[in-house]
Protein backbone atom coordinates (compact mmCIF):
# COMPACT_ATOMS: atom_id res chain seq x y z
CA UNK A 1 0.00 0.00 0.00
CA UNK A 2 1.35 3.43 -0.98
CA UNK A 3 2.06 5.73 1.97
CA UNK A 4 1.34 9.43 1.49
CA UNK A 5 2.09 12.03 4.13
CA UNK A 6 -0.09 15.16 4.06
CA UNK A 7 1.44 18.23 5.68
CA UNK A 8 -0.90 21.05 6.73
CA UNK A 9 -0.54 24.61 7.97
CA UNK A 10 -4.30 25.03 8.44
CA UNK A 11 -6.54 22.58 10.26
CA UNK A 12 -9.31 23.39 7.76
CA UNK A 13 -7.28 21.76 4.98
CA UNK A 14 -7.34 18.30 6.54
CA UNK A 15 -10.94 17.28 5.83
CA UNK A 16 -11.04 18.33 2.14
CA UNK A 17 -7.89 16.49 1.12
CA UNK A 18 -8.76 13.36 3.09
CA UNK A 19 -12.18 13.36 1.42
CA UNK A 20 -10.53 13.74 -1.99
CA UNK A 21 -8.27 10.76 -1.31
CA UNK A 22 -11.26 8.73 -0.16
CA UNK A 23 -13.03 9.51 -3.42
CA UNK A 24 -10.15 9.32 -5.89
CA UNK A 25 -7.43 7.13 -4.32
CA UNK A 26 -8.87 5.22 -1.36
CA UNK A 27 -6.08 2.64 -1.46
CA UNK A 28 -3.47 5.17 -0.31
CA UNK A 29 -2.40 5.00 3.34
CA UNK A 30 -2.50 8.55 4.70
CA UNK A 31 -0.65 10.26 7.53
CA UNK A 32 -1.54 13.84 8.50
CA UNK A 33 0.99 16.27 9.98
CA UNK A 34 -0.35 19.62 11.22
CA UNK A 35 1.57 22.69 12.35
CA UNK A 36 -1.10 25.38 12.50
CA UNK A 37 1.36 27.93 13.87
CA UNK A 38 2.96 28.16 10.41
CA UNK A 39 0.13 30.23 8.92
CA UNK A 40 0.13 32.56 11.93
CA UNK A 41 3.89 33.00 11.84
CA UNK A 42 3.86 33.71 8.09
CA UNK A 43 1.12 36.31 8.52
CA UNK A 44 3.06 37.99 11.33
CA UNK A 45 6.38 37.93 9.45
CA UNK A 46 4.85 39.19 6.22
CA UNK A 47 7.11 36.92 4.13
CA UNK A 48 8.78 33.54 4.28
CA UNK A 49 11.75 33.53 6.64
CA UNK A 50 14.70 31.18 6.80
CA UNK A 51 13.31 29.83 10.06
CA UNK A 52 9.98 28.91 8.43
CA UNK A 53 11.76 27.22 5.52
CA UNK A 54 13.87 25.26 8.01
CA UNK A 55 10.71 24.09 9.76
CA UNK A 56 9.38 22.82 6.44
CA UNK A 57 12.56 20.86 5.85
CA UNK A 58 12.18 19.33 9.32
CA UNK A 59 8.59 18.29 8.57
CA UNK A 60 9.62 16.83 5.23
CA UNK A 61 12.50 14.85 6.71
CA UNK A 62 10.21 13.52 9.43
CA UNK A 63 7.72 12.31 6.81
CA UNK A 64 10.46 10.71 4.72
CA UNK A 65 11.93 9.04 7.80
CA UNK A 66 8.53 7.62 8.66
CA UNK A 67 8.40 5.84 5.31
CA UNK A 68 6.39 8.16 3.07
CA UNK A 69 6.33 7.19 -0.61
CA UNK A 70 5.26 10.73 -1.40
CA UNK A 71 4.56 14.02 0.40
CA UNK A 72 1.73 16.40 -0.42
CA UNK A 73 1.68 19.83 1.20
CA UNK A 74 -1.77 21.39 1.52
CA UNK A 75 -0.61 24.92 2.39
CA UNK A 76 -0.73 27.17 -0.67
CA UNK A 77 1.16 30.15 0.74
CA UNK A 78 4.51 28.40 1.18
CA UNK A 79 5.64 27.60 -2.36
CA UNK A 80 9.39 28.36 -1.99
CA UNK A 81 9.53 26.42 1.30
CA UNK A 82 7.99 23.40 -0.42
CA UNK A 83 10.51 23.76 -3.24
CA UNK A 84 13.25 23.60 -0.61
CA UNK A 85 11.81 20.35 0.77
CA UNK A 86 11.57 18.86 -2.72
CA UNK A 87 15.23 19.67 -3.38
CA UNK A 88 16.21 18.28 0.01
CA UNK A 89 14.38 14.97 -0.45
CA UNK A 90 14.79 14.35 -4.20
CA UNK A 91 13.90 12.00 -5.84
CA UNK A 92 11.04 11.44 -3.36
CA UNK A 93 7.89 12.98 -4.88
CA UNK A 94 7.14 16.17 -2.93
CA UNK A 95 4.17 18.09 -4.30
CA UNK A 96 2.81 21.57 -3.85
CA UNK A 97 -0.93 21.73 -3.34
CA UNK A 98 -1.66 23.70 -6.49
CA UNK A 99 0.64 22.45 -9.25
CA UNK A 100 -1.87 20.04 -10.80
CA UNK A 101 -4.75 22.49 -10.45
CA UNK A 102 -2.78 25.28 -12.12
CA UNK A 103 -2.07 23.07 -15.12
CA UNK A 104 -5.75 22.18 -15.42
CA UNK A 105 -6.80 25.81 -14.91
CA UNK A 106 -4.56 27.07 -17.70
CA UNK A 107 -5.88 24.37 -20.05
CA UNK A 108 -9.50 25.31 -19.26
CA UNK A 109 -9.18 29.07 -19.53
CA UNK A 110 -9.09 29.62 -23.28
CA UNK A 111 -8.93 33.32 -24.10
CA UNK A 112 -10.33 34.46 -20.74
CA UNK A 113 -8.70 35.26 -17.45
CA UNK A 114 -8.33 33.20 -14.30
CA UNK A 115 -9.81 34.48 -11.05
CA UNK A 116 -7.68 33.13 -8.21
CA UNK A 117 -9.62 33.23 -4.93
CA UNK A 118 -8.00 32.89 -1.52
CA UNK A 119 -9.21 33.37 2.03
CA UNK A 120 -5.63 33.51 3.39
CA UNK A 121 -4.12 36.64 1.81
CA UNK A 122 -0.44 35.49 1.70
CA UNK A 123 -1.49 32.66 -0.61
CA UNK A 124 -1.97 35.04 -3.52
CA UNK A 125 1.56 36.46 -3.94
CA UNK A 126 2.98 33.00 -3.28
CA UNK A 127 0.93 31.33 -6.01
CA UNK A 128 1.03 33.93 -8.78
CA UNK A 129 4.60 33.10 -9.92
CA UNK A 130 3.54 29.47 -10.37
CA UNK A 131 1.26 30.39 -13.29
CA UNK A 132 2.90 30.42 -16.73
CA UNK A 133 1.29 33.81 -17.48
CA UNK A 134 0.60 35.65 -14.20
CA UNK A 135 -0.76 38.65 -16.12
CA UNK A 136 -3.84 36.57 -16.98
CA UNK A 137 -4.53 35.88 -13.31
CA UNK A 138 -6.74 38.13 -11.20
CA UNK A 139 -5.85 37.58 -7.51
CA UNK A 140 -8.86 38.03 -5.25
CA UNK A 141 -8.92 37.94 -1.45
CA UNK A 142 -12.11 36.85 0.33
CA UNK A 143 -11.85 38.80 3.62
CA UNK A 144 -13.55 37.26 6.61
CA UNK A 145 -14.07 33.84 5.02
CA UNK A 146 -11.24 32.07 6.81
CA UNK A 147 -12.20 33.60 10.16
CA UNK A 148 -15.75 32.35 9.66
CA UNK A 149 -14.56 28.83 8.86
CA UNK A 150 -12.17 28.71 11.79
CA UNK A 151 -14.94 29.86 14.13
CA UNK A 152 -17.16 27.02 12.95
CA UNK A 153 -19.48 29.00 10.67
CA UNK A 154 -18.97 27.07 7.44
CA UNK A 155 -22.16 28.43 5.87
CA UNK A 156 -20.95 32.02 6.30
CA UNK A 157 -17.56 31.05 4.84
CA UNK A 158 -19.26 29.69 1.72
CA UNK A 159 -21.55 32.71 1.44
CA UNK A 160 -18.62 35.15 1.63
CA UNK A 161 -16.70 33.31 -1.08
CA UNK A 162 -19.78 33.07 -3.31
CA UNK A 163 -20.49 36.78 -2.86
CA UNK A 164 -16.93 37.67 -3.87
CA UNK A 165 -17.15 35.36 -6.89
CA UNK A 166 -20.37 37.08 -7.97
CA UNK A 167 -18.47 40.37 -8.38
CA UNK A 168 -15.78 38.99 -10.71
CA UNK A 169 -15.36 40.59 -14.15
CA UNK A 170 -17.08 38.81 -17.02
CA UNK A 171 -13.80 37.95 -18.74
CA UNK A 172 -12.82 35.64 -15.86
CA UNK A 173 -13.87 32.37 -17.46
CA UNK A 174 -12.31 30.17 -14.75
CA UNK A 175 -12.51 30.50 -10.97
CA UNK A 176 -9.63 28.73 -9.23
CA UNK A 177 -10.02 28.17 -5.49
CA UNK A 178 -6.48 28.48 -4.21
CA UNK A 179 -6.75 26.68 -0.87
CA UNK A 180 -7.89 23.22 0.09
CA UNK A 181 -10.16 24.78 2.71
CA UNK A 182 -11.98 26.72 -0.05
CA UNK A 183 -13.07 23.57 -1.88
CA UNK A 184 -16.24 23.35 0.17
CA UNK A 185 -17.42 26.67 -1.36
CA UNK A 186 -17.31 25.35 -4.95
CA UNK A 187 -20.95 24.27 -4.86
CA UNK A 188 -22.00 27.77 -3.87
CA UNK A 189 -20.07 29.29 -6.79
CA UNK A 190 -20.88 26.73 -9.47
CA UNK A 191 -24.42 27.99 -10.27
CA UNK A 192 -22.94 31.22 -11.65
CA UNK A 193 -23.39 30.88 -15.39
CA UNK A 194 -20.54 30.52 -17.83
CA UNK A 195 -17.71 29.83 -15.42
CA UNK A 196 -15.62 26.78 -14.66
CA UNK A 197 -14.81 26.34 -10.96
CA UNK A 198 -11.72 24.30 -10.11
CA UNK A 199 -10.61 23.13 -6.67
CA UNK A 200 -7.22 21.95 -5.50
CA UNK A 201 -7.87 18.67 -3.61
CA UNK A 202 -9.00 16.40 -6.45
CA UNK A 203 -6.32 17.73 -8.81
CA UNK A 204 -3.64 17.29 -6.14
CA UNK A 205 -4.62 13.68 -5.46
CA UNK A 206 -4.56 12.81 -9.14
CA UNK A 207 -1.23 14.60 -9.58
CA UNK A 208 0.67 12.83 -6.82
CA UNK A 209 -0.86 9.48 -7.72
CA UNK A 210 0.42 9.87 -11.30
CA UNK A 211 3.87 10.84 -9.99
CA UNK A 212 4.06 7.86 -7.64
CA UNK A 213 3.04 5.38 -10.30
CA UNK A 214 5.46 6.92 -12.79
CA UNK A 215 8.31 6.54 -10.32
CA UNK A 216 7.31 2.93 -9.69
CA UNK A 217 7.36 2.20 -13.42
CA UNK A 218 10.83 3.74 -13.77
CA UNK A 219 12.14 1.64 -10.89
CA UNK A 220 10.60 -1.52 -12.32
CA UNK A 221 12.16 -0.93 -15.72
CA UNK A 222 15.51 -0.42 -14.04
CA UNK A 223 15.15 -3.67 -12.11
CA UNK A 224 14.33 -5.58 -15.30
CA UNK A 225 17.44 -4.30 -16.96
Amino acid sequence: MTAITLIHALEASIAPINAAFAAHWPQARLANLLDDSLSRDLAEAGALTDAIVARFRTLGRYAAGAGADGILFTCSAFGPAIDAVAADLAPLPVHKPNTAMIARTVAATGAGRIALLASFAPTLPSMLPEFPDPDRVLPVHCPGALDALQSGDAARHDAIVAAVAATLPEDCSVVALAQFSLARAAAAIAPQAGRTVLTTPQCAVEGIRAAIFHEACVENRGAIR
Side-chain angles (χ1 to χ4, degrees):
M1 184 177 291
T2 305
I4 303 296
T5 297
L6 308 172
I7 302 181
H8 316 278
L10 288 171
E11 185 176 1
S13 300
I14 297 176
I17 189 57
N18 279 268
F21 268 97
H24 302 288
W25 192 8
Q27 300 84 2
R29 185 179 68 204
L30 304 181
N32 290 275
L33 298 182
L34 170 65
D35 181 350
D36 59 2
S37 68
L38 284 166
S39 55
R40 179 199 64 207
D41 293 346
L42 175 61
E44 291 177 353
L48 280 176
T49 64
D50 291 342
I52 291 175
V53 173
R55 288 162 63 187
F56 267 73
R57 287 197 184 96
T58 298
L59 289 166
R61 290 170 184 172
Y62 176 85
D69 296 306
I71 299 172
L72 174 61
F73 284 88
T74 68
C75 32
S76 306
F78 298 87
I82 299 170
D83 287 336
V85 177
D88 187 39
L89 299 180
L92 182 74
V94 175
H95 280 213
K96 295 178 181 176
N98 301 301
T99 302
M101 186 204 57
I102 288 172
R104 189 169 296 182
T105 298
V106 172
T109 305
R113 285 197 296 166
I114 301 163
L116 181 66
L117 271 59
S119 58
F120 183 56
T123 296
L124 297 170
S126 174
M127 276 190 65
L128 278 176
E130 298 178 20
F131 285 85
D133 187 359
D135 289 339
R136 293 182 62 194
V137 181
L138 175 66
V140 181
H141 181 220
C142 303
L146 184 58
D147 289 339
L149 188 60
Q150 291 179 329
S151 68
D153 194 345
R156 176 163 172 73
H157 166 272
D158 296 355
I160 290 172
V161 176
V164 170
T167 67
L168 296 173
E170 291 185 1
D171 66 339
C172 290
S173 57
V174 174
V175 178
L177 302 182
Q179 297 154 234
F180 282 48
S181 58
L182 280 172
R184 56 164 295 111
I189 299 172
Q192 299 180 32
R195 287 197 170 110
T196 299
V197 180
L198 295 176
T199 64
T200 47
Q202 178 179 347
C203 296
V205 170
E206 293 171 350
I208 196 165
R209 179 176 180 173
I212 293 288
F213 287 157
H214 171 71
E215 291 295 333
C217 290
V218 170
E219 290 173 6
N220 288 339
R221 287 199 299 270
I224 292 171
R225 289 175 187 158

